[in-house]
Amino acid sequence: MNWDPIILTFQLASVTTFLLFFIALPLGYWLSQTKNKFKPLIETLVSMPLVLPPTVLGFYFLIAFSPGNAFGSWLNEWLGIKLVFSFSGLVIASILYSLPFMVHPIQSGLTNLPTSLHDASTLMGKSKTTTLFKVLLPNCKASLLTGIILSFAHTIGEFGVVLMIGGNIPGETKVASIAIYDEVEALNYNTANVYSLILCVSTFLILLFVYLQNGGSLKKYRR
Amino acid sequence: MNWDPIILTFQLASVTTFLLFFIALPLGYWLSQTKNKFKPLIETLVSMPLVLPPTVLGFYFLIAFSPGNAFGSWLNEWLGIKLVFSFSGLVIASILYSLPFMVHPIQSGLTNLPTSLHDASTLMGKSKTTTLFKVLLPNCKASLLTGIILSFAHTIGEFGVVLMIGGNIPGETKVASIAIYDEVEALNYNTANVYSLILCVSTFLILLFVYLQNGGSLKKYRR
Amino acid sequence: MIKAHIEKTLKASENPLKIDVKIHVSRGMFASLYGASGAGKTSTLRMISGLLKPDHGLITNHEDLWFDSNKNITKNPKHRNIGYVFQDSALFPNMTVFENLEYALTNKRDTKHLYQLIKLMKLDELCNQKPGTLSGGQKQRVALARALAQKPALLLLDEPLAALDNESRVELQDCLLQVHKTFRLTTLLVSHDIAEILKLSDQVFVMDHGKITQQGSPKTIFTQNSLNENFEITGEISKIERQGIQFCMTVRIQNTSVKIMAKKFEIENLKVGDEILVGTKNFNPFVLKTSD
Amino acid sequence: MIKAHIEKTLKASENPLKIDVKIHVSRGMFASLYGASGAGKTSTLRMISGLLKPDHGLITNHEDLWFDSNKNITKNPKHRNIGYVFQDSALFPNMTVFENLEYALTNKRDTKHLYQLIKLMKLDELCNQKPGTLSGGQKQRVALARALAQKPALLLLDEPLAALDNESRVELQDCLLQVHKTFRLTTLLVSHDIAEILKLSDQVFVMDHGKITQQGSPKTIFTQNSLNENFEITGEISKIERQGIQFCMTVRIQNTSVKIMAKKFEIENLKVGDEILVGTKNFNPFVLKTSD
Amino acid sequence: TEKKVAPSIRIATAANMQFAMQDLCKKFTKFTGISCELIVSSSGKLTAQITEGAPYDLFLSANEKYAQEIFKLGKYQDKPRIYAFGNLVLWTMSDTTAELSLLQSEKIKHIALPNPKSAPYGKAAYEVLQALPNFQKLEKKLVYGESISQTNQFISTQAAEIGFTALSVVRSDPYKNKGKWTLLSSKKHLPISQTAILLRQNESAKKFYRFLFSSEAKKTLKKFGYLTRESKF
Ligand SMILES: Nc1ncnc2c1ncn2[C@@H]1O[C@H](COP(=O)(O)OP(=O)(O)OP(=O)(O)O)[C@@H](O)[C@H]1O
Ligand SMILES: Nc1ncnc2c1ncn2[C@@H]1O[C@H](COP(=O)(O)OP(=O)(O)OP(=O)(O)O)[C@@H](O)[C@H]1O
Ligand SMILES: [Mg+2]
Ligand SMILES: [Mg+2]
C-alpha cells in the first residue's frame, strides 16, 4: 500500500483549512453584522457548494482555470500560476467547495453572541478589528473549532472537484478519495477498502470529537 | 434536449424529502431531548454523509444493497425489494446521504425552543406526541422549512452515490446530475450547459428563498 | 396538603448546590418560597412538579403519592395535575389566547369553566390575539388563566411577576389575590419580593443555599428579620372619594393628611371615622432632618 | 450638558413606535428616564450613544456635536467616550474582572485610576475571577466599574439593576450614589423603579409611547402623579445604636417606636432628640381596620 | 413525447466506444425495430455494477481484462469475444502538428492520458511513452484522466497542451475538425482489444451480439477508426 495519497490528503486538508479560515473570518463577520439588502444573495452564493453536484462544479472550474481560457491564461501569463493539475489549484477549488462549512459556523457563532458585547467594546473606543479579535472571537471558540474541523473533514472527503481538475498526479494531486476511486476502477477492491477504512475512521473520529466537545461546552450553560 | 432527467430529478428530490422528513422528525426530536451518553455518537453518524466522499459511500451502498450480499438478498427475497439500479434504491441512498441536511435544522429548531413550552404542555397532562405536533413543531416552522428545502436542493445536486448504485438507466435512475456528467463525457458541452443551468438556477432560487425567508423571520425578533 | 421532603445535588458550575428541603403546605393555603437568586427555588418547584427528579425523598399531595425514592415510585408529571406559571409565561406562540386556554382544558367540552375564567381574569378583549402581541403583564395574566383552566390540584408560580414593571405587577398581584379567594387552590409562589409575599401569602419558606432556613407567617419572618422592611402606623379615615374606578381615602395621621388610593374591594367595610392601621411592607425609607 | 432632540420611527411588530424626545441634562446631574416596558427608553439611550441612528435631530455634549441630521454629521460612537452599562452587564466572558477593567482603559498605563476604582467599588477579591462565576449583583458592580474605567464624558445606565434581587439592588444603588458623589459624572439612568429614581436622581423624564410626557424633580413628579406612591411622616429619634457596619435608629412616631436601619453617611449629622421626616417612596400600603 | 418501442436492450459501453455505438445502435434499430439504450461509463465502474447484478444485456469493455473478470463469476454461458481493436492517437489543440518528438518541448507542460491502471487506452499510451528515450523527463508532465472522456476534456479545454486519445474520438462528430492529431502505429503498444460479453440470453440481445460481428457493423467500426479481425489479421 502506498501512503502518499493519505499524506497528500491531510496536507491538502490542512492548507485548505488554514487559508479558508482567514477568508471565511471577514466574510462570516460581515454577514453576522450587516443589514445590507444583498445579504441573502451572498448567503445563497456561499451555500451553493452545499447543493451543487461537485462534478458540475469541477467541470466549470476546469473550464475557468484552463489556460485556453481568458481567466486561466491571464492567471498563467501575469501571475505565473497554473491552477489545473496543480496542488495550488486543488487548494483553491477546495476552498470554494468547503466555503459554507467554515462560513456558516463562524457566522452563526458571531450572530449568537449578545450584541451588547460588540456595543460595549465600540463604546470603549475600540476599533472593529480589536473588538473582533479581543472580544468576539475568544467568546465563540467552539464555533470556530466546529468550522475548522468540519472544513478539514469535508476536504478530506472531497472527490468530484479534485477528480475534475486534479489530473491524478501522484504526490501532487492524487488524494485518498481519488486513490479509492482508482482502485475500484482497477478492480483492486482490497486496497480500496483499506483506503476507505482509513478515511472513514479518521473523519468519524474528527466528527465525534466535535460533537463531544459541543455537548460538553453546551452542558455548562444548560438548565 | 431530453426533459426526462430533469423530471426524474425532481421526482427523486420530492420523494426523498417527503420520506426523509418523517424519518428525521423522530430522530431530531430525540436528539433535541435526550441526555443519553451515546448522543454524540449518533450525532456523528448522522453527520458522516457530510464528510464522506460520495463515491466511497456509493460503492459501499452498491455492495451492501446488491443481491449477491446477505443484506441485499434478504431484502430481495423477503421483501421483494431490489435496491440497486432502481428508483427505490436511489431514494434510500439519497435519504441516507441527505440525512444531516434534514436532521440538523430540525434538531436545532427544537433545541432552541424555550424548554418551558415543553414543560408547560407536559404539566397540562399532554402526551409527548401531542406536545410535539401541537406545540413544538408549529413553533419552529422556519427550521422545518429550512430542513425540507436544504434536503430537496441537496438531493437535486446529488451525484456520486446515484452514479454508483443507480446505473444510469434512463427514466429510472438517470437524474440530471448524471445526465450532465454523461453529456460532458460525450463531449456535448452545450446540452451539459443547459442541464447545469437548470440545476444551478433552481437550486439557487431555492436557497435564496430560504435565506430571504430566514432573514425575514429573524428580523422580527432582532433588536 | 402537599408534602415534599426532597434532596438533590445540582452540579452546575464549580461548586455544586445541595438542595435539601421539607415543605408542607396545607390545603387551600397560599405559601411562598423566598430567597436570593441561585438559592434553588426554581429547582425545588421543578422537583415538586416532576420536571426534575430528586435524588432522595418523598412527595405526596393529600393521599396521592407522587414520588418515593425508597419504593422507586415516580408519578409522571403529566398525571400530577399541576398548574404551573413560568417566569417567561411559556404561552404557546402559535395559538391565540383562547386556543392557549382551550389547550389546557382537561375536558374539552368544559367551556363554561373557560368563560368563567375569561371573565374573572378580564381576558375578553385579548381572546383572539396571539401572545406575541401582548404586553408582559397581559401575558402573565393569560398564563395564570391557562394554569387555572386545567382545574389543578396544586398551583405553582415561579416568579410570575419578576419581569414586570411596577404598575402591571401590582395589578397582577390583585388578580392573584382574587383568584385565590375564588378557587382556594393550594398555591406555592416563588418570589424574591418581600412586599409581594406579605401581600399575598399565608406562609413563607425562606430558602438559602438549598436549605429552608426559616418558615412561618410572612409578617413574623420579615419583621423580625430586617427591621426596616416593614412599617405600620395608625390613622383615622377622614374622607372617602370615588376617583374613576378607584377610591381615594384621606387618612389623618398625626397632624398631616395622607391620601391613599384603594380598590373597591379594599374599602368595602371601611367608613369615615374608622381607625385604621396603615402599613407598608418593603419599607425602605429616607430620612430628612426637620428640626435644626 | 448633554442635549438630545431626536426623532426616530421604529418599525418593530405591527404598530410602529415613533420616538420623539427632547432631553437636556446639565453637567454633573443625575437624570433618570422612567417609563413602562416598550416606551422606547433603551432606544433613546442607544441613539444618544450612537448605536442607533436617529431619523432626525441634533445631539450635542457640551460644545461637542455628536449628531446633526441637517448637516449630515454623525460622530462615530467609539469617539463619543460614553460609559454604558447594559442590563445584561455585557462583561467579556473570556477576560477576568481585572482584564475587563483594563481593556476599557483609554490609557493603558493609567493603572492608578484602575486601582482607585477597584478600591472604591470593592472589587479586590473578584479581580481574578471570570464573569461566569460572579453573582448578578457582582456582575453589575464590575460593569459599572468598567464603564468608569474609561473616564467617560457621559454615563448611560440601562436598567442596570432590574434583574437583581432586593438585597443586591439596594447595595448597588448605594454604590451608584457613592460613584456619583465621587466623580460627578453627567448620568442618565433608565429605570422603571420609582423608589430607585427617587433615591438616586436629581431629575426625571417620564416617557410614554416614545414621547416625554413629564419632566422635573422626581419628588414633584411622583407625588403629584400617584398619590400613594410617596408617604412622609415626622418623628423623633430616641436612640442610635451601632449594629455591625450599620446603625439602628429608634424613632418615636405617635406612640409607637419604629426601628430604622441606616448607613454611616446617612446618620452623620443626626443625634438623639432630632425631629426627622421619615418618608418612603414607592409607598404601596396595606390598610387594616383596627377600631370596630 | 414518443412512446418507448418495446422490446429494447441495454448496452453497457466503455466510454471510448460511445460514438461508434451511437451509430451502430441507430442502424440496428432501423434493421430490427429493437431500440437500444446506451449506459456509458468507465469499464471499471460498469464491471463493478455488473458484478452486483446491474440489469444490462450486453457489456462492451475497452479491454479483455474486465470482460474476463465478469466471465469468471461463472454466471454467463458465452466467453467474451474481441470484436475490434482500438487505435491510439496523439492530439493537440495548438497549431503545431502533434508528434511524439514534440513532447519534450518546453511549451508542453502537461501530457494528458487516461489512467493506465484502469483505462486500456491509457495503458497503451503509457507503453508508447515508456519506449521513448527520455521517458524519465516526460513522466513529470503526465496528467491522468479518470477515463478517456476526461482525457478528452483535458485536451479540448487546453488544460493540457497535448494528450493521447482514441482515434474514434477525433473522428467523432463533435471533434471532427478540432485541433491536430496523428495516428500512432499499433506496433508500439499491446493491442487494445474491444471485447464484448453477452450478459442475458434474450433474443434481442443475442441479435445485437450477432450484429456486432456482422460485416455491416465492421464497416461502421472501421469508419470510426477501429481495426477489425479481417483488417488486422
Ligand atoms: N438541571 C440542573 N442541573 C444542574 N444545576 C442546575 C440545574 N438547574 C439549575 N441548576 C443550578 O442550581 C442553582 C440553583 O438554581 P435555581 O434555578 O433553582 O435557583 P433559583 O433560586 O430559582 O434562582 P433565580 O432566582 O435566579 O431563579 C443554580 O446555580 C443553577 O445554575
Ligand atoms: N432596532 C429596532 N428596530 C425596530 N424596532 C425596535 C428596535 N429596537 C427596539 N424596537 C422596538 O421599539 C419598541 C421600544 O423598544 P425599547 O427597547 O426602546 O423599549 P424600552 O422602553 O427600553 O423597554 P424595556 O423596558 O422593555 O427595556 C419596542 O416595541 C421594540 O420592539
Ligand atoms: Mg428561579
Ligand atoms: Mg430597555
Side-chain angles (χ1 to χ4, degrees):
Chain A
M1 212 195 94
N2 187 345
W3 282 91
D4 278 0
I6 303 280
I7 296 168
L8 189 67
T9 302
F10 282 89
Q11 274 174 355
L12 177 65
S14 314
V15 174
T16 301
T17 308
F18 181 79
L19 294 177
L20 187 52
F21 181 76
F22 293 100
I23 292 164
L25 194 60
L27 189 55
Y29 178 57
W30 181 78
L31 284 173
S32 77
Q33 296 284 326
T34 190
K35 281 166 191 163
N36 194 308
K37 65 176 177 218
F38 289 114
K39 182 182 165 187
L41 190 72
I42 307 292
E43 284 180 300
T44 304
L45 288 177
V46 168
S47 296
M48 282 300 278
L50 276 184
V51 296
L52 276 187
T55 336
V56 169
L57 214 62
F59 178 63
Y60 290 105
F61 280 158
L62 178 68
I63 292 180
F65 289 172
S66 100
N69 183 289
F71 174 70
S73 75
W74 175 83
L75 275 179
N76 198 359
E77 281 176 30
W78 291 91
L79 302 177
I81 304 172
K82 219 182 151 193
L83 291 184
V84 275
F85 312 128
S86 68
F87 187 74
S88 39
L90 290 199
V91 170
I92 299 217
S94 304
I95 285 177
L96 284 169
Y97 192 50
S98 294
L99 196 61
F101 288 83
M102 187 70 97
V103 174
H104 285 176
I106 293 183
Q107 182 188 347
S108 79
L110 289 172
T111 308
N112 289 339
L113 286 178
T115 48
S116 58
L117 292 186
H118 188 270
D119 292 346
S121 183
T122 307
L123 290 173
M124 283 169 199
K126 307 298 174 184
S127 70
K128 275 190 188 302
T129 324
T130 310
T131 303
L132 181 64
F133 284 97
K134 291 280 180 70
V135 176
L136 302 182
L137 292 186
N139 289 311
C140 56
K141 274 187 205 143
S143 303
L144 298 183
L145 196 62
T146 304
I148 289 173
I149 282 178
L150 278 183
S151 308
F152 191 86
H154 193 239
T155 309
I156 286 183
E158 173 172 272
F159 169 77
V161 177
V162 173
L163 183 68
M164 275 301 199
I165 68 162
N168 206 345
I169 304 168
E172 171 100 16
T173 59
K174 183 175 182 170
V175 296
S177 58
I178 304 283
I180 295 173
Y181 184 82
D182 257 21
E183 300 300 339
V184 170
E185 288 283 295
L187 309 181
N188 300 330
Y189 294 157
N190 283 339
T191 323
N193 287 343
V194 174
Y195 279 130
S196 298
L197 200 70
I198 295 176
L199 224 61
C200 287
V201 170
S202 54
T203 48
F204 178 83
L205 290 179
I206 290 172
L207 281 186
L208 188 62
F209 174 73
V210 173
Y211 284 109
L212 283 173
Q213 192 270 346
N214 264 356
S217 63
L218 282 178
K219 231 172 271 163
K220 272 199 272 174
Y221 304 107
R222 192 177 303 143
R223 309 217 103 228
Chain B
M1 208 193 94
N2 187 346
W3 283 91
D4 279 358
I6 303 279
I7 295 168
L8 190 67
T9 302
F10 281 89
Q11 273 173 356
L12 177 66
S14 314
V15 174
T16 302
T17 308
F18 182 78
L19 294 177
L20 187 53
F21 181 76
F22 293 99
I23 291 165
L25 194 60
L27 190 55
Y29 178 58
W30 181 78
L31 285 173
S32 77
Q33 297 284 327
T34 190
K35 280 165 190 165
N36 194 306
K37 64 176 177 217
F38 290 114
K39 183 182 165 187
L41 190 73
I42 307 293
E43 283 181 300
T44 304
L45 288 177
V46 168
S47 295
M48 282 300 280
L50 276 182
V51 297
L52 278 188
T55 334
V56 170
L57 215 59
F59 177 63
Y60 289 104
F61 280 162
L62 179 66
I63 291 177
F65 289 174
S66 110
N69 183 290
F71 174 69
S73 75
W74 176 82
L75 276 178
N76 199 358
E77 280 176 32
W78 292 92
L79 302 177
I81 304 171
K82 216 181 150 198
L83 292 184
V84 275
F85 315 115
S86 69
F87 187 74
S88 38
L90 288 197
V91 170
I92 302 228
S94 305
I95 285 177
L96 284 170
Y97 192 51
S98 294
L99 196 61
F101 287 84
M102 186 71 94
V103 174
H104 284 175
I106 292 183
Q107 182 189 348
S108 81
L110 289 173
T111 308
N112 289 339
L113 286 179
T115 48
S116 58
L117 293 186
H118 189 271
D119 292 346
S121 182
T122 306
L123 290 174
M124 284 170 200
K126 307 298 175 184
S127 69
K128 276 189 187 302
T129 324
T130 311
T131 304
L132 180 63
F133 284 97
K134 291 280 179 68
V135 175
L136 303 182
L137 293 185
N139 289 312
C140 56
K141 273 188 205 140
S143 303
L144 297 184
L145 195 64
T146 304
I148 288 174
I149 283 177
L150 278 183
S151 308
F152 192 86
H154 192 240
T155 309
I156 288 181
E158 174 173 87
F159 170 76
V161 176
V162 172
L163 183 65
M164 257 324 196
I165 71 158
N168 204 348
I169 300 166
E172 173 99 21
T173 59
K174 184 174 183 169
V175 297
S177 57
I178 305 284
I180 296 172
Y181 181 79
D182 254 22
E183 299 299 338
V184 171
E185 292 278 290
L187 310 177
N188 298 331
Y189 293 160
N190 284 339
T191 324
N193 285 342
V194 175
Y195 280 131
S196 301
L197 201 69
I198 295 177
L199 223 61
C200 287
V201 169
S202 53
T203 48
F204 178 83
L205 290 179
I206 289 172
L207 282 186
L208 188 62
F209 174 74
V210 173
Y211 284 109
L212 282 173
Q213 192 268 349
N214 264 355
S217 62
L218 282 179
K219 229 173 268 160
K220 272 198 271 170
Y221 306 105
R222 193 178 301 142
R223 311 219 99 223
Chain C
M1 169 99 178
I2 174 99
K3 264 196 214 180
H5 293 198
I6 39 184
E7 278 180 37
K8 181 166 184 87
T9 307
L10 297 170
K11 277 175 231 71
S13 67
E14 281 100 272
N15 24 17
L17 177 72
K18 185 168 181 205
I19 294 184
D20 180 359
V21 293
K22 287 193 180 142
I23 287 177
H24 292 215
V25 184
S26 306
R27 190 192 283 264
M29 287 293 111
F30 195 118
S32 292
L33 199 54
Y34 171 84
S37 191
K41 308 182 294 296
T42 297
S43 304
T44 304
L45 244 55
R46 288 175 65 83
M47 283 192 280
I48 293 176
S49 67
L51 294 173
L52 188 68
K53 201 179 162 185
D55 295 337
H56 296 288
L58 184 76
I59 306 174
T60 58
N61 185 39
H62 308 292
E63 259 69 75
D64 202 4
L65 183 65
W66 280 359
F67 177 78
D68 188 343
S69 57
N70 287 333
K71 295 191 197 148
N72 217 346
I73 292 175
T74 311
K75 190 168 186 175
N76 193 316
K78 76 179 184 195
H79 297 130
R80 297 191 187 187
N81 194 19
I82 288 175
Y84 201 117
V85 178
F86 296 82
Q87 183 168 345
D88 68 347
S89 91
L91 293 177
F92 305 135
N94 58 315
M95 308 181 192
T96 63
V97 167
F98 187 82
E99 285 163 351
N100 262 283
L101 299 180
E102 204 182 16
Y103 182 82
L105 279 186
T106 322
N107 175 358
K108 281 273 161 289
R109 269 169 294 162
D110 193 2
T111 45
K112 217 184 104 196
H113 176 54
L114 208 63
Y115 287 110
Q116 186 196 355
L117 274 174
I118 291 176
K119 219 178 131 198
L120 178 74
M121 316 277 286
K122 305 197 187 67
L123 299 176
D124 310 72
E125 287 174 10
L126 306 178
C127 266
N128 292 319
Q129 278 180 256
K130 287 272 174 85
T133 66
L134 302 180
S135 76
Q138 291 172 329
K139 270 187 199 159
Q140 291 303 52
R141 194 133 47 92
V142 176
L144 182 59
R146 191 179 64 171
L148 296 170
Q150 64 183 98
K151 295 191 175 162
L154 175 66
L155 190 58
L156 299 178
L157 310 168
D158 190 1
E159 307 195 33
L161 314 179
L164 305 182
D165 55 272
N166 260 342
E167 218 168 310
S168 332
R169 195 181 187 118
V170 172
E171 196 182 309
L172 256 286
Q173 285 167 358
D174 296 337
C175 185
L176 268 174
L177 268 180
Q178 186 77 11
V179 163
H180 194 247
K181 247 190 211 164
T182 315
F183 298 105
R184 285 284 159 210
L185 283 173
T186 315
T187 306
L188 186 54
L189 166 79
V190 165
S191 174
H192 47 221
D193 181 348
I194 294 176
E196 190 169 290
I197 295 177
L198 279 158
K199 183 165 172 183
L200 296 174
S201 54
D202 307 309
Q203 190 184 4
V204 64
F205 297 90
V206 178
M207 196 162 179
D208 192 24
H209 290 97
K211 312 270 174 301
I212 301 289
T213 53
Q214 282 181 291
Q215 65 186 88
S217 103
K219 248 180 96 178
T220 351
I221 300 277
F222 290 123
T223 37
Q224 105 194 111
N225 210 22
S226 48
L227 282 167
N228 57 4
E229 294 276 8
N230 207 328
F231 171 85
E232 289 172 4
I233 200 151
T234 50
E236 200 191 294
I237 301 180
S238 56
K239 197 153 77 177
I240 300 184
E241 295 171 300
R242 189 183 196 106
Q243 275 202 356
I245 54 160
Q246 290 198 319
F247 290 83
C248 176
M249 302 188 289
T250 310
V251 179
R252 200 156 48 80
I253 299 170
Q254 291 173 332
N255 29 23
T256 38
S257 281
V258 178
K259 295 199 175 186
I260 295 175
M261 302 301 289
K263 297 264 148 61
K264 189 166 179 225
F265 72 92
E266 289 178 315
I267 58 147
E268 258 160 12
N269 55 355
L270 294 180
K271 59 179 191 299
V272 172
D274 277 357
E275 186 163 291
I276 54 170
L277 184 78
V278 177
T280 174
K281 313 104 187 189
N282 195 12
F283 185 57
N284 183 10
F286 56 80
V287 170
L288 285 178
K289 195 171 173 180
T290 50
S291 69
D292 38 12
Chain D
M1 168 99 180
I2 174 97
K3 265 196 215 181
H5 293 197
I6 39 186
E7 278 181 37
K8 178 162 187 90
T9 307
L10 296 171
K11 278 175 230 72
S13 66
E14 280 98 90
N15 25 16
L17 176 73
K18 187 171 180 203
I19 293 182
D20 181 359
V21 293
K22 287 193 178 142
I23 287 176
H24 293 216
V25 183
S26 306
R27 189 191 284 263
M29 287 292 111
F30 195 119
S32 291
L33 200 52
Y34 171 83
S37 192
K41 308 181 296 295
T42 297
S43 303
T44 304
L45 243 56
R46 289 175 65 82
M47 284 192 279
I48 293 175
S49 67
L51 295 174
L52 186 69
K53 202 178 164 185
D55 296 337
H56 296 288
L58 185 75
I59 306 174
T60 58
N61 184 39
H62 307 294
E63 260 68 74
D64 202 3
L65 184 65
W66 279 0
F67 178 78
D68 188 342
S69 57
N70 288 333
K71 294 188 197 148
N72 216 343
I73 292 175
T74 310
K75 190 167 187 178
N76 193 316
K78 76 178 185 197
H79 298 131
R80 295 189 188 188
N81 193 18
I82 288 175
Y84 201 117
V85 178
F86 296 82
Q87 183 169 343
D88 68 348
S89 91
L91 293 178
F92 306 136
N94 58 316
M95 308 181 191
T96 62
V97 167
F98 187 82
E99 285 164 352
N100 262 284
L101 299 179
E102 203 182 18
Y103 182 83
L105 280 185
T106 322
N107 176 359
K108 280 276 162 286
R109 267 169 296 161
D110 194 1
T111 45
K112 216 183 105 196
H113 177 52
L114 208 61
Y115 287 109
Q116 185 195 355
L117 274 175
I118 290 176
K119 218 178 130 198
L120 180 72
M121 315 277 285
K122 306 194 187 69
L123 298 177
D124 310 72
E125 288 173 11
L126 306 178
C127 267
N128 292 319
Q129 280 181 254
K130 289 272 173 84
T133 65
L134 302 180
S135 75
Q138 291 173 329
K139 271 186 196 158
Q140 291 302 54
R141 195 134 47 91
V142 176
L144 182 59
R146 190 179 64 171
L148 297 170
Q150 65 183 99
K151 294 189 175 164
L154 175 66
L155 190 58
L156 299 178
L157 311 169
D158 190 1
E159 307 194 33
L161 314 180
L164 304 184
D165 56 272
N166 259 345
E167 217 168 310
S168 331
R169 196 184 188 117
V170 172
E171 194 183 310
L172 255 287
Q173 284 167 359
D174 295 337
C175 184
L176 269 173
L177 267 180
Q178 185 77 10
V179 163
H180 194 246
K181 246 188 207 165
T182 316
F183 298 106
R184 284 284 158 211
L185 284 172
T186 316
T187 305
L188 186 53
L189 166 78
V190 166
S191 174
H192 47 220
D193 180 349
I194 294 176
E196 188 168 292
I197 295 178
L198 279 158
K199 181 164 173 184
L200 297 174
S201 55
D202 307 309
Q203 191 184 3
V204 63
F205 298 89
V206 178
M207 196 161 178
D208 190 25
H209 288 99
K211 313 272 174 300
I212 301 289
T213 52
Q214 282 181 291
Q215 64 186 90
S217 102
K219 248 182 93 178
T220 355
I221 300 277
F222 291 122
T223 36
Q224 105 194 115
N225 209 22
S226 48
L227 281 169
N228 57 4
E229 293 277 9
N230 208 326
F231 171 85
E232 288 173 3
I233 199 150
T234 49
E236 201 191 292
I237 300 180
S238 55
K239 194 151 81 180
I240 299 183
E241 294 169 300
R242 187 180 201 109
Q243 277 202 353
I245 55 160
Q246 289 199 318
F247 291 83
C248 175
M249 301 189 290
T250 311
V251 181
R252 201 158 46 79
I253 299 170
Q254 294 172 330
N255 27 22
T256 38
S257 281
V258 177
K259 294 199 171 186
I260 296 175
M261 302 301 288
K263 296 265 147 61
K264 189 168 180 222
F265 72 90
E266 288 177 315
I267 58 146
E268 256 161 12
N269 55 358
L270 294 180
K271 59 179 189 301
V272 172
D274 278 358
E275 187 164 288
I276 55 171
L277 185 76
V278 178
T280 174
K281 316 103 186 188
N282 195 10
F283 184 56
N284 183 11
F286 56 81
V287 171
L288 286 179
K289 196 171 172 181
T290 50
S291 69
D292 40 13
Chain E
T1 53
E2 59 185 318
K3 267 200 166 171
K4 278 187 196 120
V5 193
S8 82
I9 50 173
R10 289 204 186 106
I11 306 168
T13 309
N16 79 83
M17 191 48 83
Q18 61 177 321
F19 301 107
M21 276 304 291
Q22 279 161 9
D23 215 66
L24 279 175
C25 282
K26 237 180 269 162
K27 285 207 176 103
F28 179 69
T29 308
K30 217 168 79 190
F31 291 149
T32 62
I34 300 168
S35 65
C36 309
E37 276 172 9
L38 287 184
I39 315 292
V40 182
S41 196
S42 65
S43 299
K45 211 178 292 139
L46 290 172
T47 304
Q49 289 177 341
I50 291 164
T51 309
E52 306 303 342
Y56 306 146
D57 297 295
L58 196 65
F59 174 34
L60 304 187
S61 152
N63 77 1
E64 268 191 282
K65 179 182 148 201
Y66 293 103
Q68 288 295 351
E69 203 68 38
I70 284 168
F71 185 67
K72 269 193 236 155
L73 295 173
K75 287 198 282 189
Y76 307 103
Q77 295 177 7
D78 299 343
K79 269 191 182 168
R81 269 178 72 190
I82 297 169
Y83 64 92
F85 295 92
N87 272 314
L88 195 63
V89 297
L90 191 60
W91 187 27
T92 175
M93 285 292 140
S94 65
D95 300 329
T96 45
T97 37
E99 303 260 7
L100 281 174
S101 56
L102 199 69
L103 297 182
Q104 323 163 32
S105 127
E106 282 284 305
K107 276 198 215 152
I108 305 291
K109 300 249 166 46
H110 294 293
I111 305 163
L113 67 159
N115 193 342
K117 227 175 180 169
S118 49
Y121 283 86
K123 191 159 164 273
Y126 202 71
E127 283 161 5
V128 170
L129 285 166
Q130 265 180 321
L132 295 178
N134 40 14
F135 173 66
Q136 307 287 23
K137 264 195 219 157
L138 292 181
E139 201 175 8
K140 292 195 193 89
K141 297 186 178 180
L142 303 185
V143 295
Y144 303 99
E146 169 241 318
S147 63
I148 195 152
S149 316
Q150 211 194 343
T151 314
N152 297 337
Q153 288 158 33
F154 287 162
I155 303 167
S156 66
T157 58
Q158 298 177 47
E161 291 80 4
I162 200 165
F164 294 88
T165 187
L167 179 60
S168 58
V169 171
V170 291
R171 280 202 184 160
S172 69
D173 281 338
Y175 281 112
K176 226 176 249 165
N177 302 312
K178 302 239 171 78
K180 299 232 162 78
W181 55 268
T182 28
L183 182 67
L184 299 171
S185 157
S186 61
K187 291 194 189 88
K188 291 187 172 165
H189 55 83
L190 292 172
I192 305 165
S193 5
Q194 310 285 334
T195 311
I197 178 167
L198 190 61
L199 302 173
R200 287 190 183 175
Q201 297 289 340
N202 64 47
E203 272 315 305
S204 315
K206 276 192 209 158
K207 249 184 216 165
F208 192 92
Y209 189 61
R210 262 179 262 129
F211 173 70
L212 196 62
F213 294 94
S214 71
S215 54
E216 185 63 38
K218 278 176 183 156
K219 237 193 280 170
T220 310
L221 287 168
K222 242 179 263 172
K223 191 181 96 193
F224 276 89
Y226 295 96
L227 300 172
T228 54
R229 287 267 172 200
E230 290 81 47
S231 50
K232 175 119 181 160
F233 303 107

